[in-house]
Amino acid sequence: FNAPAWLMRHIGDPKIVSGQQNPIRESLPPENAAQKIKAFARQLGADLVGVSRMKKEYAYSHRGRMKYTQEPWGSPIEVKHKFAISMGFREDVDLIRTAPRSGELLESGLVYLRSATAAVVLARYIRHIGYAARAHHFRNYQILPVPLAIEAGLGELARCGFLLTRECGNCLRLATVTTDLPMVCDEPVDIGAQDFCRRCKICADACPSG
């Protein structure tokens, strides 16, 4: 576990999540760019991937976490990129159900690591082809991944506040890459989650506060 532990400490470094793009820009039609980025994201291990417009209301205004970002608390955040690539990484539901035992902790940590690594590599690839890009993952978020994933068509917002997907339920972790690479965007989906959550209420019944 030494290598993953080192990565988890340093993967939020600003020099790793972001950087200068190649001055030589590859010309890609937006539809081709979206197809290429999605294929690469899946190659990096993403089970779900979608593209949306980056909205200002889905970005944080100020820095709130300092431990891994090496940036001062309260420093302003400005995400200028126009597009967001949302990636979902499936978790093993049988291991997650072992919580609070070690199986859940191990699975959660490893999926977080895979998602962060994929985001960093994807952002670096986009910079390599000449476009600005930044990785946003559990060690260094500047954006809200759930609403962006909803905009990108990965799933719907569930009553529990999580992203609910057709493929993974809510047993997944998210990572995001924001970029200026022009891409054709996906559309939000309706999988019936809102209606289901209004009728189900199992989470409310299990919660002491209702």
Side-chain angles (χ1 to χ4, degrees):
F1 281 82
N2 287 338
W6 183 91
L7 279 171
M8 291 178 77
R9 284 197 302 271
H10 294 280
I11 205 164
D13 189 315
K15 296 189 295 294
I16 293 177
V17 299
S18 187
Q20 294 295 319
Q21 68 261 32
N22 189 340
I24 301 174
R25 176 168 290 184
E26 184 176 334
S27 179
L28 286 170
E31 184 175 353
N32 291 358
Q35 292 173 349
K36 191 170 188 175
I37 291 302
K38 289 178 183 180
F40 190 34
R42 293 189 182 97
Q43 186 69 24
L44 292 171
D47 296 290
L48 305 174
V49 57
V51 177
S52 67
R53 287 275 179 179
M54 179 62 214
K55 296 183 177 181
K56 290 184 178 180
E57 57 265 36
Y58 296 156
Y60 288 105
S61 60
H62 293 80
R63 171 65 62 192
R65 176 187 281 183
M66 297 180 293
K67 185 174 181 181
Y68 303 104
T69 64
Q70 302 178 17
E71 297 171 359
W73 186 91
S75 56
I77 290 174
E78 187 175 6
V79 180
K80 297 181 179 180
H81 299 151
K82 297 178 181 179
F83 298 91
I85 305 156
S86 296
M87 296 178 286
F89 298 79
R90 187 190 302 268
E91 294 178 301
D92 186 322
V93 67
D94 291 328
L95 286 173
I96 295 301
R97 284 174 175 160
T98 67
R101 297 187 178 91
S102 57
E104 185 274 336
L105 294 173
L106 177 63
E107 176 68 359
S108 179
L110 287 176
V111 175
Y112 266 134
L113 178 59
R114 289 201 298 271
S115 65
T117 303
V120 166
V121 173
L122 182 60
R124 185 169 182 177
Y125 167 71
I126 294 171
R127 294 195 300 270
H128 175 73
I129 62 174
Y131 298 86
R134 188 192 194 279
H136 303 264
H137 55 71
F138 73 115
R139 291 297 197 208
N140 197 328
Y141 283 122
Q142 288 189 345
I143 52 81
L144 300 171
V146 171
L148 285 171
I150 293 169
E151 293 283 339
L154 269 61
E156 287 190 75
L157 182 66
R159 190 179 189 278
C160 60
F162 293 171
L163 177 74
L164 187 63
T165 70
R166 189 187 304 276
E167 297 84 355
C168 311
N170 62 12
C171 195
L172 77 165
R173 301 291 176 176
L174 296 171
T176 310
V177 172
T178 56
T179 181
D180 279 340
L181 172 64
M183 291 173 286
V184 172
C185 294
D186 297 292
E187 296 293 333
V189 295
D190 181 357
I191 62 172
Q194 295 297 313
D195 181 60
F196 180 85
C197 285
R198 276 193 291 268
R199 292 182 289 107
C200 174
K201 302 290 181 67
I202 287 177
C203 62
D205 293 340
C207 176
S209 67

